[in-house]
Amino acid sequence: MTAPVGKITREDTIKMDGADPIAHLRERFELPEGDIYLDGNSLGALPLGVMERLEVAVKKEWGQGLIRSWNDADWYPAPQRAGAAIARILGADDDEVIVCDSISVNLFKLLVGALRMRKDRKIIVSEIGNFPTDVYINQEVADLMGCELRCVMPEEVEAAISAAGDNLAIVQLTHVHYKTGRIYDMQGITKKVQDLGGLVIWDLAHSAGCLPVQLNDCNADFAVGCGYKYLNGGPGAPAFVFVARRHFEAMDQPLRGWHGHAEPFAFTQEYKPHPTIDQMLTGTASQLATLALETALKVFEDVDMNLLRQKNMALGDLFIALVEQELGGMNFELASPKEAEHRGSQVSLIHEEGYAIMQAVIARGIIGDFRAPDILRFGFASPYVRYIDIWDSIAHLRDVMEMREWDQPKFKERRAVT
Ligand SMILES: *Cc1c(COP(=O)(O)O)cnc(C)c1O
């Protein structure tokens, strides 16, 4: 859907909601009355059914079933089941994705494992400005494995890949940038790296659940991603890891634990990796969190990812058009690509008073977030954000600016989580 021509009105956005083919998905969520939630890219909203599932899991399965529930309530294969549900929205096979640990930990496993598959090569390429945990883990693994980490600006990534030549081991990139929302060409970069004999690890934190990712069509090697952002798995939900089946045999991940063993309940002293994706597991799953994520994923069961994508592109286009229409001369600068196809499911604005402005807007119930030093981030989770929400958010933002509402000490005090 394209934004109307000429001056956009609130009426127009009501019409856009009326014509939205996935408007009904909003009913699948518990949303706070009166708030507009534009932070599903940081913590997804609560899908209906999760609370009930957890209540059964705690009261009945844990409380009454106790240890029997690992078998009787089918707890044990929950990481595989949740992995399969994620695989379906990432263009992977059901048994190529598993849910466990955090992105940070899974990235560590993949990096070391992938470097062990390219022992004679010494260069890891990544991006300056990548998500900090990715940078820290990349650097740590490079040091640990005697490799060189080359971080370059996004527009220099392809040149850095070519320059590494046959010393290129790994390229590690975040598909959709967490601050700007800029999207890398997964297919093109994967091919370029593989032509040189390297391997690619994609971080899908801001892709899974909002873009129609096609891991196998892109011949991707490895990926990690987040359970608590667009997948709505709940605060600190476990992450996921993808390994292309062709790498199952060569993969040798370093965090060897009993759940990654071929026979965890044989309790042998020698480690023997599981031949399947299960080898990526380390210890016992955080069971309640895994069950919450598994339940949350039902939202996507019957959803066409292309429709989700079309909607978040349209929401972003509308937001940008309204920034231009309503916030002119207020010193906002667009930090995201203007063209929808190069932009993920968010729009970021730069403003030197960004922190205070965001706090003032949040106080009005418009919930986005702030990323240092000066970025206001607005995420558009297609399943529950409406077109009218975009209109109302911009109207509040304009009020906050016109009345200098942000210019108060209480909005400038930094809290622990931004
Ligand atoms: C949110 C996010 C993470 C989070 O990592 P965890 O270890 O799961 O907390 C990692 N990478 C990117 C790009 C992110 O956006």
Side-chain angles (χ1 to χ4, degrees), residues 12 18 50 96 122 143 162 225 252 295 335 353 368 398 404:
D12 292 328
V50 170
E96 291 177 308
K122 294 290 168 205
D143 294 348
S162 305
D252 176 14
T295 309
E353 294 295 346
R398 191 189 52 217
R404 284 186 77 84

Side-chain angles (χ1 to χ4, degrees), residues 22 25 28 89 299-308:
I22 53 169
L25 296 182
R28 297 181 182 181
I89 57 173
V299 164
F300 295 96
E301 243 167 34
D302 57 353
V303 175
D304 178 348
M305 290 306 293
N306 292 305
L307 290 181
L308 282 190

Side-chain angles (χ1 to χ4, degrees), residues 78-398:
Q80 289 82 353
R81 286 197 306 268
I86 294 172
R88 283 170 214 147
I89 57 173
L90 295 180
D93 290 347
D94 283 10
D95 60 351
E96 291 177 308
V97 177
I98 197 156
V99 159
C100 55
D101 305 314
S102 59
I103 287 189
S104 309
V105 172
N106 289 329
L107 191 55
F108 179 84
K109 294 181 217 169
L110 283 182
L111 272 163
V112 175
L115 280 169
R116 286 174 172 170
M117 293 168 60
R118 292 292 181 273
K119 282 203 171 71
D120 50 335
R121 292 164 171 248
K122 294 290 168 205
I123 295 173
I124 303 171
V125 172
S126 189
E127 174 193 343
I128 293 175
N130 200 347
F131 192 87
T133 215
D134 299 57
V135 179
Y136 307 152
I137 303 274
N138 281 333
Q139 189 61 63
E140 170 61 16
V141 170
D143 294 348
L144 203 65
M145 304 287 288
C147 293
E148 179 195 344
L149 173 64
R150 291 189 183 167
C151 284
V152 298
M153 295 304 286
E155 55 280 6
E156 291 158 5
V157 163
E158 301 217 16
I161 291 169
S162 305
D166 34 346
N167 210 3
L168 179 69
I170 311 293
V171 173
Q172 195 279 314
L173 292 171
T174 298
H175 180 224
V176 176
H177 196 272
Y178 77 106
K179 270 192 193 170
T180 64
R182 189 220 50 242
I183 306 176
Y184 276 113
D185 167 13
M186 178 179 285
Q187 183 136 34
I189 290 180
T190 300
K191 180 166 191 319
K192 192 172 172 92
V193 175
Q194 290 172 348
D195 284 349
L196 289 168
L199 297 163
V200 190
I201 303 175
W202 290 103
D203 183 335
L204 304 178
H206 292 275
S207 317
C210 64
L211 305 178
V213 177
Q214 294 296 344
L215 286 171
N216 282 339
D217 283 355
C218 292
N219 200 40
D221 297 300
F222 309 108
V224 291
C226 202
Y228 54 80
K229 292 173 179 158
Y230 293 105
L231 297 181
N232 313 305
F240 65 83
V241 52
F242 159 84
V243 176
R245 180 177 290 96
R246 64 183 180 280
H247 295 317
F248 280 179
E249 184 145 357
M251 179 36 63
D252 176 14
Q253 67 101 345
L255 294 185
R256 295 176 166 190
W258 68 307
H259 279 255
H261 193 280
E263 293 175 276
F265 291 90
F267 292 103
T268 59
Q269 297 298 294
E270 307 78 50
Y271 186 77
K272 190 172 150 222
H274 203 285
T276 70
I277 189 71
D278 291 26
Q279 68 187 288
M280 297 311 292
L281 298 176
T282 297
T284 310
S286 175
Q287 195 62 33
L288 296 176
T290 306
L291 295 173
L293 173 59
E294 181 190 10
T295 309
L297 289 166
K298 291 195 197 318
V299 164
F300 295 96
E301 243 167 34
D302 57 353
V303 175
D304 178 348
M305 290 306 293
N306 292 305
L307 290 181
L308 282 190
R309 176 60 178 147
Q310 279 161 25
K311 183 172 173 187
N312 63 48
M313 291 198 292
L315 290 167
D317 283 344
L318 175 66
F319 186 92
I320 292 172
L322 286 173
V323 167
E324 287 171 1
Q325 181 179 307
E326 304 290 326
L327 306 180
M330 293 180 177
N331 295 324
F332 285 104
E333 195 187 315
L334 186 64
S336 303
K338 195 163 180 189
E339 309 75 37
E341 67 269 30
H342 298 304
R343 188 181 69 226
S345 188
Q346 68 182 68
V347 171
S348 301
L349 301 178
I350 299 174
H351 195 289
E352 59 175 356
E353 294 295 346
Y355 183 80
I357 294 169
M358 183 52 83
Q359 300 316 305
V361 173
I362 291 172
R364 284 169 168 256
I366 312 299
I367 307 180
D369 64 18
F370 172 80
R371 287 292 172 263
D374 54 8
I375 288 197
L376 298 103
R377 207 167 57 149
F378 300 91
F380 310 123
S382 305
Y384 51 84
V385 175
R386 297 167 299 194
Y387 293 94
I388 196 168
D389 295 333
I390 305 295
W391 173 274
D392 290 341
S393 306
I394 295 283
H396 280 287
L397 198 48
R398 191 189 52 217

